[in-house]
Every structure is written in C-alpha cells, then in structure tokens.
Tab-separated table of all heavy atoms in Angstrom:
chain	number	residue	atom	x	y	z
I	11	ALA	N	42.786	-34.933	21.815
I	11	ALA	CA	43.127	-35.227	20.421
I	11	ALA	C	41.907	-35.138	19.510
I	11	ALA	O	42.043	-34.860	18.317
I	11	ALA	CB	43.756	-36.617	20.315
I	12	PHE	N	40.706	-35.369	20.053
I	12	PHE	CA	39.497	-35.269	19.235
I	12	PHE	C	39.276	-33.844	18.734
I	12	PHE	O	38.646	-33.633	17.694
I	12	PHE	CB	38.265	-35.707	20.030
I	12	PHE	CG	38.262	-37.163	20.413
I	12	PHE	CD1	37.740	-37.574	21.637
I	12	PHE	CD2	38.776	-38.120	19.572
I	12	PHE	CE1	37.724	-38.909	22.000
I	12	PHE	CE2	38.773	-39.464	19.928
I	12	PHE	CZ	38.245	-39.859	21.142
I	13	ALA	N	39.773	-32.865	19.476
I	13	ALA	CA	39.547	-31.463	19.116
I	13	ALA	C	40.561	-30.932	18.110
I	13	ALA	O	40.321	-29.908	17.482
I	13	ALA	CB	39.576	-30.585	20.365
I	14	ARG	N	41.672	-31.644	17.932
I	14	ARG	CA	42.737	-31.119	17.082
I	14	ARG	C	42.299	-31.123	15.620
I	14	ARG	O	42.019	-32.147	15.027
I	14	ARG	CB	44.010	-31.945	17.266
I	14	ARG	CG	45.233	-31.361	16.571
I	14	ARG	CD	46.502	-32.070	16.965
I	14	ARG	NE	46.785	-31.891	18.393
I	14	ARG	CZ	46.788	-32.886	19.269
I	14	ARG	NH1	46.490	-34.111	18.886
I	14	ARG	NH2	47.062	-32.655	20.532
I	15	GLY	N	42.237	-29.944	15.015
I	15	GLY	CA	41.849	-29.822	13.620
I	15	GLY	C	40.380	-30.089	13.354
I	15	GLY	O	39.982	-30.242	12.200
I	16	ALA	N	39.552	-30.112	14.390
I	16	ALA	CA	38.140	-30.475	14.249
I	16	ALA	C	37.247	-29.243	14.233
I	16	ALA	O	37.659	-28.135	14.601
I	16	ALA	CB	37.720	-31.401	15.390
I	17	CYS	N	36.011	-29.449	13.808
I	17	CYS	CA	34.959	-28.454	13.982
I	17	CYS	C	34.319	-28.729	15.346
I	17	CYS	O	33.641	-29.744	15.528
I	17	CYS	CB	33.914	-28.566	12.879
I	17	CYS	SG	34.536	-28.213	11.235
I	18	VAL	N	34.566	-27.871	16.301
I	18	VAL	CA	34.081	-28.056	17.665
I	18	VAL	C	32.843	-27.184	17.854
I	18	VAL	O	32.909	-25.960	17.706
I	18	VAL	CB	35.158	-27.687	18.696
I	18	VAL	CG1	34.619	-27.881	20.111
I	18	VAL	CG2	36.413	-28.512	18.477
I	19	VAL	N	31.714	-27.820	18.182
I	19	VAL	CA	30.463	-27.100	18.412
I	19	VAL	C	30.029	-27.358	19.851
I	19	VAL	O	29.772	-28.512	20.225
I	19	VAL	CB	29.361	-27.544	17.427
I	19	VAL	CG1	28.087	-26.739	17.679
I	19	VAL	CG2	29.828	-27.370	15.986
I	20	ILE	N	29.970	-26.307	20.656
I	20	ILE	CA	29.536	-26.400	22.046
I	20	ILE	C	28.083	-25.957	22.108
I	20	ILE	O	27.762	-24.819	21.715
I	20	ILE	CB	30.420	-25.538	22.958
I	20	ILE	CG1	31.881	-25.975	22.845
I	20	ILE	CG2	29.943	-25.627	24.404
I	20	ILE	CD1	32.837	-25.082	23.599
I	21	LEU	N	27.219	-26.838	22.586
I	21	LEU	CA	25.793	-26.557	22.674
I	21	LEU	C	25.470	-26.221	24.127
I	21	LEU	O	25.277	-27.106	24.963
I	21	LEU	CB	24.982	-27.766	22.199
I	21	LEU	CG	25.352	-28.303	20.804
I	21	LEU	CD1	24.605	-29.590	20.497
I	21	LEU	CD2	25.060	-27.262	19.741
I	22	SER	N	25.409	-24.932	24.430
I	22	SER	CA	25.240	-24.503	25.818
I	22	SER	C	24.749	-23.068	25.845
I	22	SER	O	24.967	-22.297	24.899
I	22	SER	CB	26.567	-24.610	26.571
I	22	SER	OG	26.488	-24.032	27.853
I	23	ASP	N	24.098	-22.702	26.955
I	23	ASP	CA	23.678	-21.312	27.110
I	23	ASP	C	24.831	-20.421	27.564
I	23	ASP	O	24.706	-19.200	27.580
I	23	ASP	CB	22.502	-21.195	28.081
I	23	ASP	CG	22.765	-21.900	29.407
I	23	ASP	OD1	23.944	-22.190	29.697
I	23	ASP	OD2	21.799	-22.178	30.132
I	24	GLY	N	25.957	-21.023	27.953
I	24	GLY	CA	27.116	-20.239	28.364
I	24	GLY	C	26.955	-19.543	29.700
I	24	GLY	O	27.715	-18.624	30.005
I	25	LEU	N	25.991	-19.987	30.505
I	25	LEU	CA	25.751	-19.347	31.802
I	25	LEU	C	26.678	-19.968	32.835
I	25	LEU	O	26.322	-20.913	33.526
I	25	LEU	CB	24.282	-19.515	32.215
I	25	LEU	CG	23.268	-18.843	31.300
I	25	LEU	CD1	21.842	-19.106	31.790
I	25	LEU	CD2	23.539	-17.343	31.208
I	26	GLU	N	27.881	-19.436	32.943
I	26	GLU	CA	28.861	-19.933	33.903
I	26	GLU	C	28.637	-19.283	35.249
I	26	GLU	O	28.408	-18.073	35.339
I	26	GLU	CB	30.278	-19.633	33.398
I	26	GLU	CG	31.385	-20.127	34.309
I	26	GLU	CD	31.524	-21.640	34.318
I	26	GLU	OE1	30.483	-22.326	34.189
I	26	GLU	OE2	32.644	-22.140	34.459
I	27	ARG	N	28.690	-20.111	36.289
I	27	ARG	CA	28.496	-19.612	37.644
I	27	ARG	C	29.822	-19.137	38.227
I	27	ARG	O	30.848	-19.766	38.073
I	27	ARG	CB	27.916	-20.717	38.527
I	27	ARG	CG	26.578	-21.274	38.056
I	27	ARG	CD	25.450	-20.361	38.383
I	27	ARG	NE	25.237	-20.265	39.824
I	27	ARG	CZ	24.203	-19.694	40.392
I	27	ARG	NH1	23.263	-19.149	39.635
I	27	ARG	NH2	24.074	-19.654	41.686
I	28	GLY	N	29.806	-18.008	38.904
I	28	GLY	CA	30.993	-17.530	39.599
I	28	GLY	C	32.082	-17.063	38.636
I	28	GLY	O	31.821	-16.491	37.583
I	29	ASP	N	33.323	-17.325	39.028
I	29	ASP	CA	34.481	-16.880	38.260
I	29	ASP	C	34.516	-17.593	36.911
I	29	ASP	O	34.361	-18.809	36.835
I	29	ASP	CB	35.753	-17.192	39.059
I	29	ASP	CG	36.993	-16.648	38.365
I	29	ASP	OD1	36.843	-15.808	37.466
I	29	ASP	OD2	38.102	-17.089	38.724
I	30	HIS	N	34.725	-16.836	35.830
I	30	HIS	CA	34.726	-17.417	34.494
I	30	HIS	C	36.136	-17.601	33.947
I	30	HIS	O	36.308	-17.825	32.743
I	30	HIS	CB	33.927	-16.534	33.535
I	30	HIS	CG	34.449	-15.135	33.423
I	30	HIS	ND1	33.955	-14.107	34.201
I	30	HIS	CD2	35.427	-14.597	32.658
I	30	HIS	CE1	34.601	-12.993	33.898
I	30	HIS	NE2	35.502	-13.267	32.956
I	31	SER	N	37.155	-17.514	34.793
I	31	SER	CA	38.536	-17.621	34.313
I	31	SER	C	38.821	-18.999	33.725
I	31	SER	O	39.532	-19.115	32.719
I	31	SER	CB	39.520	-17.305	35.440
I	31	SER	OG	39.333	-18.191	36.536
I	32	ASP	N	38.272	-20.065	34.344
I	32	ASP	CA	38.472	-21.413	33.799
I	32	ASP	C	37.840	-21.544	32.416
I	32	ASP	O	38.413	-22.160	31.512
I	32	ASP	CB	37.875	-22.468	34.735
I	32	ASP	CG	38.726	-22.704	35.971
I	32	ASP	OD1	39.896	-22.276	35.958
I	32	ASP	OD2	38.235	-23.302	36.936
I	33	LEU	N	36.654	-20.970	32.254
I	33	LEU	CA	35.979	-21.035	30.957
I	33	LEU	C	36.784	-20.276	29.897
I	33	LEU	O	36.945	-20.754	28.768
I	33	LEU	CB	34.574	-20.442	31.076
I	33	LEU	CG	33.754	-20.379	29.782
I	33	LEU	CD1	33.566	-21.765	29.189
I	33	LEU	CD2	32.413	-19.720	30.039
I	34	GLU	N	37.306	-19.126	30.260
I	34	GLU	CA	38.099	-18.337	29.316
I	34	GLU	C	39.362	-19.099	28.907
I	34	GLU	O	39.731	-19.146	27.725
I	34	GLU	CB	38.470	-17.001	29.948
I	34	GLU	CG	39.138	-16.034	28.995
I	34	GLU	CD	39.416	-14.694	29.667
I	34	GLU	OE1	39.079	-14.538	30.861
I	34	GLU	OE2	39.970	-13.820	28.981
I	35	THR	N	40.011	-19.728	29.881
I	35	THR	CA	41.212	-20.518	29.584
I	35	THR	C	40.889	-21.687	28.675
I	35	THR	O	41.603	-21.961	27.698
I	35	THR	CB	41.836	-21.031	30.885
I	35	THR	OG1	42.176	-19.926	31.724
I	35	THR	CG2	43.082	-21.858	30.608
I	36	ALA	N	39.793	-22.395	28.982
I	36	ALA	CA	39.411	-23.548	28.167
I	36	ALA	C	39.105	-23.141	26.733
I	36	ALA	O	39.512	-23.822	25.781
I	36	ALA	CB	38.202	-24.238	28.791
I	37	MET	N	38.402	-22.025	26.552
I	37	MET	CA	38.056	-21.588	25.202
I	37	MET	C	39.297	-21.187	24.405
I	37	MET	O	39.390	-21.459	23.200
I	37	MET	CB	37.070	-20.421	25.275
I	37	MET	CG	35.667	-20.830	25.686
I	37	MET	SD	34.950	-22.018	24.526
I	37	MET	CE	33.291	-22.152	25.160
I	38	ARG	N	40.245	-20.557	25.056
I	38	ARG	CA	41.485	-20.207	24.349
I	38	ARG	C	42.217	-21.465	23.894
I	38	ARG	O	42.747	-21.523	22.777
I	38	ARG	CB	42.393	-19.365	25.247
I	38	ARG	CG	41.946	-17.924	25.422
I	38	ARG	CD	43.119	-17.055	25.861
I	38	ARG	NE	43.782	-17.611	27.045
I	38	ARG	CZ	43.483	-17.270	28.294
I	38	ARG	NH1	42.537	-16.375	28.515
I	38	ARG	NH2	44.127	-17.797	29.312
I	39	ARG	N	42.230	-22.480	24.741
I	39	ARG	CA	42.918	-23.725	24.377
I	39	ARG	C	42.168	-24.463	23.267
I	39	ARG	O	42.783	-25.028	22.368
I	39	ARG	CB	43.067	-24.613	25.609
I	39	ARG	CG	44.014	-24.027	26.655
I	39	ARG	CD	44.137	-24.933	27.867
I	39	ARG	NE	44.992	-24.345	28.886
I	39	ARG	CZ	45.208	-24.885	30.082
I	39	ARG	NH1	44.618	-26.042	30.389
I	39	ARG	NH2	46.009	-24.295	30.949
I	40	PHE	N	40.855	-24.465	23.352
I	40	PHE	CA	40.076	-25.070	22.269
I	40	PHE	C	40.338	-24.343	20.954
I	40	PHE	O	40.494	-24.967	19.903
I	40	PHE	CB	38.585	-25.031	22.601
I	40	PHE	CG	38.065	-26.270	23.253
I	40	PHE	CD1	37.633	-26.244	24.567
I	40	PHE	CD2	37.984	-27.463	22.556
I	40	PHE	CE1	37.146	-27.386	25.174
I	40	PHE	CE2	37.504	-28.603	23.157
I	40	PHE	CZ	37.084	-28.582	24.468
I	41	SER	N	40.360	-23.024	21.004
I	41	SER	CA	40.571	-22.236	19.801
I	41	SER	C	41.916	-22.542	19.163
I	41	SER	O	42.050	-22.568	17.933
I	41	SER	CB	40.466	-20.742	20.124
I	41	SER	OG	40.636	-19.953	18.977
I	42	ALA	N	42.931	-22.792	20.003
I	42	ALA	CA	44.261	-23.102	19.482
I	42	ALA	C	44.312	-24.472	18.819
I	42	ALA	O	45.111	-24.695	17.906
I	42	ALA	CB	45.289	-23.025	20.611
C-alpha cells in the first residue's frame, strides 16, 4: 500500500545475480 500512487525511488546498482525474471516481475508490479 505504501507504493500505491507514490514516487518510488530504488537506490541500487541493479546487479541481479542469476535469473532476473523475479526482478522483471517486481518492476512491472511496482510500475502498475
């Protein structure tokens, strides 16, 4: 609920290890 209608800023280098499918799914949900 904190993300709904919010400005979400992720502070990270984005270096995901291995399969990135979970990261892609999470970002799509955050974007929505």
Side-chain angles (χ1 to χ4, degrees):
F12 294 144
R14 188 170 296 115
C17 296
V18 180
V19 182
I20 302 174
L21 307 173
S22 172
D23 52 17
L25 297 179
E26 181 71 326
R27 301 283 293 190
D29 185 16
H30 59 266
S31 59
D32 285 345
L33 177 59
E34 188 177 0
T35 301
M37 287 300 186
R38 285 201 307 267
R39 293 180 183 176
F40 266 113
S41 181

